[in-house]
């Protein structure tokens, strides 16, 4: 997917990071260098490479480079404690971890390197990502935000592992080979590693592109959702590369900085959670910011209040649509139309190639009665392969010769095909029977 976009767009900017731009060619070259570096350490097909990074351009190079080497990317939240990080490293069998030289990340990664089966640590210098250290850079980061990289034979600085040669080719089966492990949140039980194939990830990118009436026009997306989360992986990273667009990347969300970036780069789309849109509306600079470039904003992660939607659309002139997805569905399952009629309180229609059905709430082996609410079940190319090293028999049901993912959400589907979620249990992954 990346190579196809590089061939088509080459010198076009893929990332704008606080004013510094990285072209498709540059990110692709770094990814190839990182893949070769991984292979020089003996890492390859099926090995797990962890990313514990904030939103920085090197994330893209590490993400695609690991996959070029045939490895499986494991996303780690930068908000993990050292104990949580160590537990997930042990569960996934991660052999190498890429992180950033900031005090919130590097010390925990060092602790895990010393006390776990992790073999190598690769550290990206934040200063290497910024447009320049003084001026703009100092307004965003300060020297106190930098941690010292330890000197050890199994610790590399990012640039040291970017080899100036082509990586060895790796045979990848996109349908069955695991491209990424994405851990669910662990509010109610231990986090589970969700296995995604290359097809799961690229299919969801193509699905999102297919429903966008503005696809292939000027495409600049605000990349403020954290890349380690499946929402950003689908709607910011993969979808934008698939479409040949540019990511206006921010390391963290701040409403004023988001508004300034939208105006400076003429952002055309923004995926976010409802609290982000609320914070932007509450910032007094909102009314003085030129937001005329915005076409569509996508709300996910939580229900979108009707009052927030109305106020945001009146203020910006952009469309704010509610979408729905699960970690287990690689990002997006359904969304309201970007153009056209919306159903208030609905999550819209399923994406192309995605089928939904309602299962009886007391017996998942049969459908709900006509007109009755039921448990929402999903079948489509974006549905996960399964859980890493865990049984998943109770989250799938066989029906009509197909495998359906049980979401645990209670819903109805109206006569026009709009899906209304009535009850979303306080959980982070589909329920166990």
């Amino acid at each position: 997917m990346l190579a196809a976009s590089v061939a088509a767009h080459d010198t076009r900017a893929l990332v704008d990071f606080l004013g510094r731009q990285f072209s498709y060619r540059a990110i692709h070259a770094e990814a190839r260098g990182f893949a070769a570096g991984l292979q020089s350490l003996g890492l390859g097909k099926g090995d797990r490479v962890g990313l514990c990074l904030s939103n920085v351009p090197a994330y893209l190079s590490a993400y695609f480079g690991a996959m070029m080497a045939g490895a499986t990317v494991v996303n780690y939240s930068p908000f993990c404690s050292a104990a949580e990080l160590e537990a997930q490293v042990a569960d996934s069998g991660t052999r190498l971890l890429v992180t950033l030289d900031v005090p919130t990340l590097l010390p925990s990664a060092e602790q895990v390197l010393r006390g776990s089966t992790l073999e190598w640590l690769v550290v990206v210098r934040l200063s290497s990502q910024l447009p320049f250290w003084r001026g703009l850079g100092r307004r965003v980061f300060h020297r106190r935000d930098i941690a010292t990289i330890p000197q050890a034979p199994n610790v590399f600085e990012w640039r040291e592992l970017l080899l100036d040669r082509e990586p060895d080719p790796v045979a990848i089966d996109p349908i069955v080979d695991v491209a990424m492990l994405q851990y669910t949140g662990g509010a109610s039980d231990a986090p589970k590693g969700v296995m995604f194939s290359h097809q799961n990830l690229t299919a969801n990118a193509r699905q999102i592109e297919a429903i966008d009436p503005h696809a292939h026009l000027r495409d600049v997306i605000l990349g403020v959702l954290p890349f380690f989360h499946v929402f950003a992986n689908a709607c910011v990273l993969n979808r934008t590369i698939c479409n040949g667009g540019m990511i206006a990347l921010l390391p963290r969300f701040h409403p004023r900085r988001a508004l300034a970036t939208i105006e400076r780069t003429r952002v055309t789309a923004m995926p976010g959670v409802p609290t982000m849109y609320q914070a932007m509306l509450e910032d007094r600079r909102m009314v003085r910011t030129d937001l005329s470039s915005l076409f569509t904003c996508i709300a996910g992660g939580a229900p979108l209040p009707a009052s927030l939607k109305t106020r945001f659309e009146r203020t910006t002139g952009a469309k704010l649509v509610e979408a729905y997805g699960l970690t287990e569905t690689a990002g997006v399952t359904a969304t309201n139309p970007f153009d056209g009629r919306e159903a208030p309180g609905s999550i819209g229609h399923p994406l192309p190639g995605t089928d939904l059905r309602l299962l009886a709430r007391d017996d998942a082996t049969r459908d709900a009665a006509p007109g009755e609410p039921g448990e929402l079940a999903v079948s489509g190319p974006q549905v996960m392969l399964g859980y890493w090293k865990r049984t998943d028999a109770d989250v799938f049901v066989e029906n009509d010769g197909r495998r359906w993912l049980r979401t645990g959400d209670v819903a109805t589907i109206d006569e026009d095909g709009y899906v209304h979620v009535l009850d979303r249990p306080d959980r982070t992954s589909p329920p166990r029977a």
Side-chain angles (χ1 to χ4, degrees):
M1 183 180 69
L2 173 62
S5 287
V6 172
H9 309 299
D10 194 26
T11 59
R12 180 183 293 181
L14 169 52
V15 176
D16 178 294
F17 185 60
L18 305 172
R20 181 181 177 185
Q21 293 192 345
F22 297 74
S23 69
Y24 275 80
R25 178 195 295 175
I27 294 294
H28 193 225
E30 275 203 351
R32 296 198 310 272
F34 183 57
L38 293 175
Q39 291 174 342
S40 74
L41 297 176
L43 291 164
K45 185 73 175 284
D47 287 319
R48 270 76 67 199
V49 172
L51 306 183
C52 187
L53 292 165
S54 305
N55 280 12
V56 291
Y59 180 97
L60 283 78
S61 305
Y63 174 84
F64 286 105
M67 293 185 190
M68 286 178 188
T72 296
V73 169
V74 186
N75 271 325
Y76 293 102
S77 167
F79 304 109
C80 277
S81 66
E84 291 169 329
L85 182 60
E86 185 169 347
Q88 291 178 21
V89 164
D91 182 70
S92 64
T94 294
R95 297 184 65 190
L96 179 144
L97 182 69
V98 184
T99 194
L100 202 60
D101 66 341
V102 297
T104 53
L105 298 181
L106 185 52
S108 293
E110 288 181 65
Q111 182 177 331
V112 173
L113 181 65
R114 292 192 302 267
S116 76
T117 56
L118 186 67
E119 298 172 58
W120 296 280
L121 186 63
V122 178
V123 185
V124 178
R125 288 190 183 274
L126 179 59
S127 58
S128 72
Q129 306 293 290
L130 294 168
F132 44 84
W133 180 246
R134 298 187 180 277
L136 172 63
R138 288 194 66 181
R139 290 201 295 271
V140 181
F141 297 103
H142 302 277
R143 293 192 184 277
R144 65 176 178 270
D145 295 324
I146 304 303
T148 301
I149 300 176
Q151 299 298 309
N154 58 347
V155 177
F156 298 94
E157 187 182 335
W158 171 247
R159 291 288 172 185
E160 294 177 322
L161 213 58
L162 302 184
L163 301 191
D164 187 20
R165 67 170 177 82
E166 289 295 313
D168 298 329
V170 179
I172 293 174
D173 185 330
I175 304 298
V176 300
D177 286 344
V178 181
M180 188 171 79
L181 283 182
Q182 184 76 41
Y183 277 87
T184 62
S188 58
D189 57 2
K192 298 182 285 290
V194 175
M195 297 187 292
F196 292 124
S197 69
H198 292 262
Q199 160 72 349
N200 288 151
L201 301 180
T202 58
N204 204 225
R206 295 190 300 272
Q207 289 170 311
I208 296 167
E209 182 187 44
I211 63 169
D212 186 355
H214 309 292
H216 311 303
L217 301 177
R218 182 178 177 273
D219 182 8
V220 179
I221 195 161
L222 186 67
V224 70
L225 285 170
F227 274 157
F228 70 84
H229 196 279
V230 71
F231 188 7
N233 181 268
C235 290
V236 178
L237 179 57
N238 291 330
R239 163 257 170 227
T240 304
I241 287 174
C242 183
N243 196 45
M246 184 184 84
I247 302 169
L249 190 62
L250 289 174
R252 63 176 72 97
F253 176 73
H254 184 281
R256 189 161 298 180
R257 194 164 295 129
L259 290 168
T261 302
I262 292 171
E263 185 172 55
R264 178 179 63 81
T265 62
R266 306 297 293 155
V267 163
T268 59
M270 173 187 169
V273 296
T275 52
M276 288 181 178
Y277 299 114
Q278 183 65 47
M280 291 167 68
L281 284 169
E282 291 173 355
D283 192 289
R284 62 185 181 183
R285 294 198 181 184
M286 178 82 164
V287 294
R288 300 199 301 270
T289 302
D290 180 3
L291 303 174
S292 60
S293 61
L294 274 177
F295 284 124
T296 307
C297 295
I298 304 170
L304 176 65
S307 58
L308 174 58
K309 171 181 167 62
T310 299
R311 185 182 171 200
F312 187 87
E313 290 182 337
R314 286 177 178 172
T315 303
T316 65
K319 189 79 170 285
L320 179 57
V321 300
E322 185 169 5
Y324 169 89
L326 304 166
T327 301
E328 289 81 357
T329 59
V332 186
T333 301
T335 183
N336 275 276
F338 287 9
D339 286 343
R341 185 179 78 83
E342 295 179 82
S346 165
I347 60 170
H349 295 139
L351 295 190
T354 303
D355 290 321
L356 305 178
R357 73 190 311 155
L358 299 179
L359 305 177
R361 299 167 68 180
D362 59 349
D363 181 1
T365 64
R366 60 182 180 85
D367 289 338
E372 291 295 319
E375 181 186 356
L376 191 64
V378 183
S379 179
Q382 73 272 49
V383 174
M384 68 172 182
L385 297 175
Y387 291 124
W388 175 256
K389 297 196 303 187
R390 292 171 184 253
T391 179
D392 51 29
D394 47 2
V395 297
F396 288 105
V397 61
E398 294 288 335
N399 203 314
D400 296 335
R402 297 169 63 184
R403 191 180 70 153
W404 295 80
L405 175 74
R406 297 175 56 192
T407 69
D409 292 333
V410 178
T412 59
I413 302 176
D414 68 24
E415 59 185 11
D416 295 319
Y418 287 86
V419 182
H420 298 259
V421 176
L422 307 180
D423 182 25
R424 303 194 69 177
D426 183 16
R427 52 154 182 80
T428 54
S429 61
R432 292 193 171 271

